[in-house]
Amino acid sequence: MMPSKQIILALAAGTFALIFAIAGTAIPEMSSYEMKVPHMTNISVEIYVGLFKTKTVSPPQLGTPTDVAKRECGVTPAPPGTGCYKALKSKCYATQAFMIIGMLASTSALVLTLLPVPRFIAVVCAFVAAFSYLLVWGIYVHLGTTYPSSGANCGVKTDTTKIGTSLILIIFAWLLAVAQGIVLLLSSKYSAYSVV
């Protein structure tokens, strides 16, 4: 039996949501900023911050190539022991965890859409994925638009902070996961099961 147009649309939205989420996680560019090199005039290093990796791009004058390293959540611009340090560390772990939850929920929604199970389970998975992606990009937007302070509501904004490619991909993943959930929800009035 051929799946309905709504199911095909939901599968397409869910597939692209998952692809964008994976790409957004793999590319270490949630945000970027420039950092001046001490004791060198007009030379700065471009630092890209991702969910699980950081990338440093050095100018040719320094002679060091681009470096990609694992992101350590305990390494923050705030001094250890402050409320800002604890908040930045928590937000780092939270975004990593919710990105994994979102990708697992997206995968589950795709699989459950094809199985003969009640469709509301796939709808719930799609909206859990959407909520997880929303939390991830929301935290990064907050961090990138709030200046550093000593309190827990601090951010990492500098005069050179820019939005990265990964953030845009995760926003698209969120929109597509919402679309998948809505299409599945609307199509559930015709059938309680996913494959019909």
Side-chain angles (χ1 to χ4, degrees):
M1 175 184 255
M2 179 76 175
S4 69
K5 288 181 184 178
Q6 293 93 354
I7 297 301
I8 293 171
L9 184 61
L11 287 171
T15 301
F16 281 111
L18 185 58
I19 290 170
F20 286 158
I22 291 170
T25 304
I27 301 170
E29 294 181 16
M30 290 294 278
S31 62
S32 67
Y33 60 95
E34 289 182 13
M35 187 172 79
K36 297 283 185 196
V37 177
H39 311 295
M40 298 185 105
T41 311
N42 297 328
I43 296 180
S44 59
V45 176
E46 188 80 18
I47 298 174
Y48 296 89
V49 179
L51 284 167
F52 293 95
K53 294 179 183 176
T54 57
K55 180 171 77 171
T56 306
V57 179
S58 302
Q61 298 96 320
L62 294 179
T64 55
T66 299
D67 179 41
V68 178
K70 180 181 180 234
R71 180 166 181 214
E72 299 291 335
C73 285
V75 178
T76 70
T82 62
C84 183
Y85 173 82
K86 293 174 188 172
L88 291 176
K89 188 175 177 182
S90 299
K91 289 173 185 176
C92 175
Y93 286 126
T95 55
Q96 290 177 349
F98 277 107
M99 198 64 205
I100 291 170
I101 290 168
M103 288 188 291
L104 290 173
S106 280
T107 304
S108 300
L110 284 171
V111 171
L112 291 170
T113 300
L114 295 172
L115 295 177
V117 296
R119 190 162 304 142
F120 77 92
I121 299 171
V123 171
V124 169
C125 287
F127 283 124
V128 166
F131 182 70
S132 296
Y133 299 147
L134 172 68
L135 286 175
V136 171
W137 72 257
I139 288 171
Y140 268 92
V141 167
H142 167 73
L143 290 174
T145 58
T146 308
Y147 284 100
S149 67
S150 60
N153 194 23
C154 65
V156 294
K157 180 176 174 58
T158 65
D159 293 336
T160 60
T161 303
K162 295 180 241 169
I163 291 175
T165 309
S166 296
L167 184 62
I168 294 166
L169 289 170
I170 292 171
I171 290 172
F172 280 130
W174 165 68
L175 290 170
L176 288 165
V178 168
Q180 179 190 21
I182 290 171
V183 170
L184 285 172
L185 187 63
L186 293 176
S187 68
S188 67
K189 68 180 180 181
Y190 300 111
S191 171
Y193 293 93
S194 294
V195 291
V196 270

